[in-house]
Amino acid sequence: MTPVSPGSVPAVPAAPAVAVSPAAANLPTLRGHNAALVLDLLRAAGEAGASRSELAEGTGLTPQAVSKITARLRDAGLVAQAGHRPSTGGKPRTLWRLVRDARHAVGLHLDRDEVTAVLVDLLGGVVAAHRAPFDLGAPCRAVVDAAAGAVRALPAGPGRGGRPLGVGVACPGPLDHRTGVLRRVTGFPHWDGHPLRDSLSRRLGLPVVLDKDTNAAALGLALRGGEGGGDASFAYLHLGTGLGAGLVLDGVLYRGRRTGAGEFGHQVVQLDGPECGCGDRGCLEALCLAAVARGDAAGAARVLGTGAAGLAGLLDVDRVVLGGRTVLADPEPYRAGVERELAARAARTDGRAVPVSVAPGGTRLVARGAAHLVLAPLFGRLEPGTRPEDLG
Amino acid sequence: MTPVSPGSVPAVPAAPAVAVSPAAANLPTLRGHNAALVLDLLRAAGEAGASRSELAEGTGLTPQAVSKITARLRDAGLVAQAGHRPSTGGKPRTLWRLVRDARHAVGLHLDRDEVTAVLVDLLGGVVAAHRAPFDLGAPCRAVVDAAAGAVRALPAGPGRGGRPLGVGVACPGPLDHRTGVLRRVTGFPHWDGHPLRDSLSRRLGLPVVLDKDTNAAALGLALRGGEGGGDASFAYLHLGTGLGAGLVLDGVLYRGRRTGAGEFGHQVVQLDGPECGCGDRGCLEALCLAAVARGDAAGAARVLGTGAAGLAGLLDVDRVVLGGRTVLADPEPYRAGVERELAARAARTDGRAVPVSVAPGGTRLVARGAAHLVLAPLFGRLEPGTRPEDLG
DNA sequence: CCACTTTGGCAACAGCGTTGCGGAAGTGCA
DNA sequence: TGCACTTCCGCAACGCTGTTGCCAAAGTGG
């Protein structure tokens, strides 16, 4: 809605005022929706580009409508022609592609002990990165300073991109994405109630979007070309200090009303089992971390796989993606163990086994995903934020 | 898309041809979307009605746009004026309400041992009902006959409603909603691969939509005025012959790609626990049904509550609704037991406890929900099917 | 009776995707 | 080399959307 006005008031994306459940649509909405569809197809096509008729086929728009839309996007500098396809007996198709550096976004991953900042272009490619030690347990003021410093350490975006569209911030939950306020971050109770999004937005003079690290990672995976990118629904399971999940359902990041969705680690898999830090007994996380602690990756994977199988049944996901420090340190036993449990479940229900993969992107996965919190709305893949209709 | 052409070819709702991910929008789409918004508000307002400015406020449309839309809907016979609100110092507001019997839909619940058919009006009210013994284990041909007979036993809709918009069919899973084909229904393997939707549609000469009983129930609850109706996300837990769930997430019925979502009973809550019919060990369903069998409702409720707490955390739902024959036979111990577990979880995470309620609607809940499979698209609450733009 | 408030329809309008059509730019055969 | 054919794609006219400006209608309150 509110256009990002460079160099003026820090334009925080308008939180949806009243929950006008599904919003009314008018002509600008329509235009923005279709433009986002076209942009999203071009994003998926990447450097290869796509032709007018392919875009028409993929969106359902008429070729003429695609022509008008691409012309507008060209005038806005977001797309450009990129050669032609070989002729098939007639005039060859003109290819269009996204202009990588037309816009940029910053992704910021605040982890417990380090901060990662990346500058990404429209295609999600990392243009610059910065990593530094960090202490999420320090006083809020110092942490906000350090976070802002990490963003400022990135070079100013080159070319027309200049000023980034905004900053996506990912950090451990619980937190409220809609208000941008942290809750009682596990281990660091002093964050409870701190409006991190607004603090950072004021400090940087840029729009800021806040979300959980697992959600950012899942969003990044949903927008990738490769594995996980083509799946309408998948679960990203993150095993590190704790055990959490990011859910993409029917192509949309699912957060739940209070950004609480994805609390995967505190499902009970062993009634009256060993006590967990949360106060319950027999939680997935407790069993899994205990196995990790005694070096039993296979055992941890079995427990993780049991939880994954339950989740796969409950949500009928197309894929399970594993990530987090513990998994990335030695992925194969986890992948194989979870795969075995999912295959066993498939055999019982005689359905196809849900495929498992290890998250690509390494230690930058979350930071890149955080940048997508800002970029995704351009492509109609996330509700609030900058839409194509704001860019003309 | 395809208008329902009364009295011609059985118009089965067009299955989305190619997965044109999010569909392109044009002016008719826009018009239909906004009309659905207005209809949905009027549906929620019920007999009380709503005024032009209230509709404008609720949808985000301008009052003038609402005027145009209500005029079109009036010409189509879907809405009518219903008095005025008291003046607040100016011209009093004109109230509009849905015309109850402008259209009707049939809901059909095929349970293992009985069939329930209901004829409902636009507001979801039951106009006529029919119930009969039934055997889902009989040969397919006989079952289709019996199902068609139950529909024909309903009186032809009065007034302009005349011919129903379509028939929503709910039955035990697994099945594929998109293709309308049953899979290996537990206990009745001979259904595997039977295109029940198309069989019934040909037999009745009406559009048919097929879904799982739990999904139909959840949809019906989502469209109710009362409890569960106002919640964006909730889980309906159904305890009867088995244990399943229907999920409404962010206001939308979530099915998963292969209509497999909601398999709630086969989550493991007791590693290496007692064997379950599915072949796994320690499933929620096995433990729960065992407790029920030995008359231990409190124990069953505790197990159910453990599963509900896990689900509430994973999906951050706003409410849990309990239903199914076992629960309805004696609701209180189940409600109280599940509530206790959810309260315990809330205390651990210091959040608010997720409220629990028992499904209203009694033995017709599923059949009414099935009718909503046909009605919901009119109100923009379910994707395919008859949209307002087909009615003018 | 009159000033004021509030509702809501009429008419003009900008802008969306659609349709009809024709020129541009290739291929392939004579 | 020339010509018929195929395919792509932009111009122009069009129908229809929600929006805006305006004014009549229908109440209240002094």
Side-chain angles (χ1 to χ4, degrees):
Chain A
M1 301 298 157
T2 326
V4 177
S5 41
S8 72
V9 197
V12 177
V18 188
V20 178
S21 316
N26 53 18
L27 286 170
T29 314
L30 182 68
R31 165 192 172 128
H33 173 82
N34 288 339
L37 246 48
V38 169
L39 283 175
D40 195 42
L41 251 57
L42 289 173
R43 186 190 56 73
E47 294 291 354
S51 76
R52 188 183 79 138
S53 27
E54 290 155 11
L55 293 172
E57 174 94 12
T59 56
L61 292 163
T62 60
Q64 190 54 240
V66 174
S67 285
K68 288 191 179 181
I69 293 168
T70 48
R72 285 198 298 263
L73 294 173
R74 166 173 36 76
D75 294 346
L78 292 178
V79 307
Q81 294 201 3
H84 299 270
R85 243 180 241 304
S87 165
T88 60
K91 182 173 174 179
R93 301 177 166 183
T94 308
L95 291 176
W96 295 86
R97 59 169 170 69
L98 278 190
V99 176
R100 294 196 79 105
D101 57 359
R103 307 291 145 112
H104 294 88
V106 173
L108 189 60
H109 178 195
L110 307 181
D111 209 349
R112 295 187 143 72
D113 53 5
E114 74 178 357
V115 54
T116 310
V118 295
L119 183 70
V120 308
D121 59 32
L122 270 190
L123 282 173
V126 174
V127 174
H130 173 79
R131 175 166 297 165
F134 187 71
D135 179 15
L136 196 56
C140 302
R141 210 190 172 77
V143 168
V144 172
D145 283 343
V151 173
R152 295 226 178 82
L154 294 170
R160 275 173 303 183
R163 191 185 169 80
L165 282 175
V167 181
V169 180
C171 65
L175 54 83
D176 190 324
H177 157 265
R178 289 188 310 169
T179 58
V181 173
L182 294 184
R183 292 211 297 272
R184 199 174 295 268
V185 179
T186 319
F188 306 119
H190 64 292
W191 279 110
D192 196 11
H194 185 93
L196 179 59
R197 183 188 66 189
D198 293 349
S199 304
L200 254 177
S201 180
R202 263 193 303 274
R203 187 72 57 94
L204 292 168
L206 284 172
V208 170
V209 183
L210 178 71
D211 210 335
K212 291 201 293 186
D213 46 8
T214 44
N215 285 347
L219 179 64
L221 292 168
L223 293 178
R224 284 188 81 87
E227 292 182 313
D231 300 308
S233 305
F234 68 90
Y236 168 74
L237 306 182
H238 184 101
L239 179 58
T241 318
L243 174 56
L247 304 175
V248 171
L249 305 179
D250 285 343
V252 178
L253 180 63
Y254 177 73
R255 297 184 172 107
R257 169 108 30 131
R258 288 166 297 278
T259 327
E263 191 198 89
F264 177 63
H266 298 287
Q267 301 197 78
V268 173
V269 291
Q270 178 101 57
L271 285 169
D272 308 313
E275 209 166 305
C276 172
C278 76
D280 205 356
R281 311 180 71 93
C283 292
L284 205 51
E285 178 176 304
L287 297 178
C288 205
L289 292 183
V292 170
R294 63 174 184 265
D296 178 11
R302 183 189 162 220
V303 175
L304 187 57
T306 300
L311 187 149
L314 184 67
L315 297 177
D316 190 15
V317 293
D318 302 318
R319 177 176 294 272
V320 169
V321 183
L322 304 178
R325 280 190 204 177
T326 308
V327 169
L328 294 183
D330 182 19
E332 188 46 26
Y334 290 97
R335 199 200 55 75
V338 172
E339 186 174 60
R340 181 164 326 125
E341 294 296 324
L342 288 170
R345 175 178 174 276
R348 289 194 297 271
T349 60
D350 55 38
R352 275 167 305 184
V354 177
V356 186
S357 47
V358 176
T363 53
R364 282 180 187 167
L365 175 70
V366 175
R368 285 186 57 184
H372 282 302
L373 290 169
V374 173
L375 290 180
L378 275 179
F379 305 112
R381 301 289 292 249
L382 214 50
E383 271 323 304
T386 310
R387 311 307 298 261
E389 64 264 31
D390 301 331
L391 295 179
Chain B
M1 300 304 157
T2 326
V4 178
S5 39
S8 71
V9 196
V12 177
V18 188
V20 178
S21 317
N26 52 21
L27 284 171
T29 314
L30 181 69
R31 164 192 175 131
H33 173 83
N34 287 339
L37 246 48
V38 169
L39 284 175
D40 196 43
L41 251 57
L42 289 174
R43 184 189 57 74
E47 295 290 352
S51 77
R52 188 182 78 137
S53 27
E54 289 155 11
L55 293 172
E57 176 93 14
T59 56
L61 293 163
T62 60
Q64 190 54 241
V66 174
S67 283
K68 288 190 179 182
I69 291 169
T70 47
R72 285 198 298 260
L73 294 174
R74 166 174 36 76
D75 295 344
L78 292 178
V79 308
Q81 294 199 5
H84 299 272
R85 243 181 240 304
S87 166
T88 61
K91 181 174 175 177
R93 301 179 166 182
T94 308
L95 291 176
W96 296 86
R97 59 168 171 69
L98 277 191
V99 176
R100 295 196 78 105
D101 57 359
R103 305 292 145 109
H104 295 88
V106 174
L108 189 60
H109 177 195
L110 307 182
D111 209 348
R112 296 188 141 72
D113 53 5
E114 75 178 357
V115 55
T116 309
V118 295
L119 184 69
V120 308
D121 59 31
L122 270 190
L123 282 174
V126 174
V127 174
H130 173 79
R131 175 165 296 165
F134 186 71
D135 179 15
L136 197 56
C140 301
R141 208 186 175 79
V143 168
V144 173
D145 283 342
V151 174
R152 294 224 179 84
L154 295 170
R160 274 173 304 185
R163 189 187 171 77
L165 282 176
V167 181
V169 179
C171 65
L175 55 81
D176 189 324
H177 157 266
R178 290 189 309 168
T179 59
V181 173
L182 295 184
R183 291 212 299 272
R184 198 174 295 269
V185 180
T186 318
F188 306 121
H190 65 291
W191 279 109
D192 196 10
H194 184 93
L196 179 59
R197 183 189 67 189
D198 293 348
S199 305
L200 255 177
S201 180
R202 263 193 303 275
R203 188 72 57 96
L204 292 169
L206 285 172
V208 171
V209 183
L210 178 72
D211 210 336
K212 292 201 293 186
D213 46 9
T214 44
N215 284 347
L219 180 64
L221 292 168
L223 294 179
R224 284 188 82 87
E227 291 183 315
D231 299 309
S233 306
F234 68 89
Y236 168 74
L237 305 183
H238 184 100
L239 179 58
T241 319
L243 175 56
L247 304 174
V248 171
L249 305 179
D250 284 344
V252 177
L253 180 63
Y254 177 73
R255 297 184 172 107
R257 168 106 33 127
R258 288 166 296 278
T259 327
E263 191 199 270
F264 176 62
H266 298 287
Q267 301 198 77
V268 173
V269 291
Q270 179 101 56
L271 284 170
D272 307 313
E275 209 165 306
C276 173
C278 77
D280 205 355
R281 311 179 73 94
C283 293
L284 205 51
E285 179 176 304
L287 297 178
C288 204
L289 292 183
V292 170
R294 63 174 184 265
D296 178 12
R302 183 189 162 222
V303 175
L304 187 58
T306 300
L311 186 148
L314 184 65
L315 297 178
D316 190 16
V317 293
D318 302 318
R319 176 175 295 272
V320 169
V321 184
L322 304 178
R325 281 191 203 175
T326 308
V327 170
L328 293 183
D330 183 19
E332 187 48 26
Y334 289 97
R335 198 200 55 74
V338 171
E339 187 175 58
R340 181 165 325 124
E341 294 296 324
L342 288 171
R345 174 177 175 276
R348 289 194 296 271
T349 60
D350 55 37
R352 276 168 307 185
V354 177
V356 187
S357 46
V358 176
T363 54
R364 281 181 187 166
L365 175 70
V366 175
R368 285 186 58 183
H372 281 303
L373 289 169
V374 173
L375 290 180
L378 276 179
F379 305 112
R381 301 289 292 249
L382 213 51
E383 271 321 306
T386 309
R387 311 308 298 262
E389 64 264 32
D390 303 330
L391 295 178

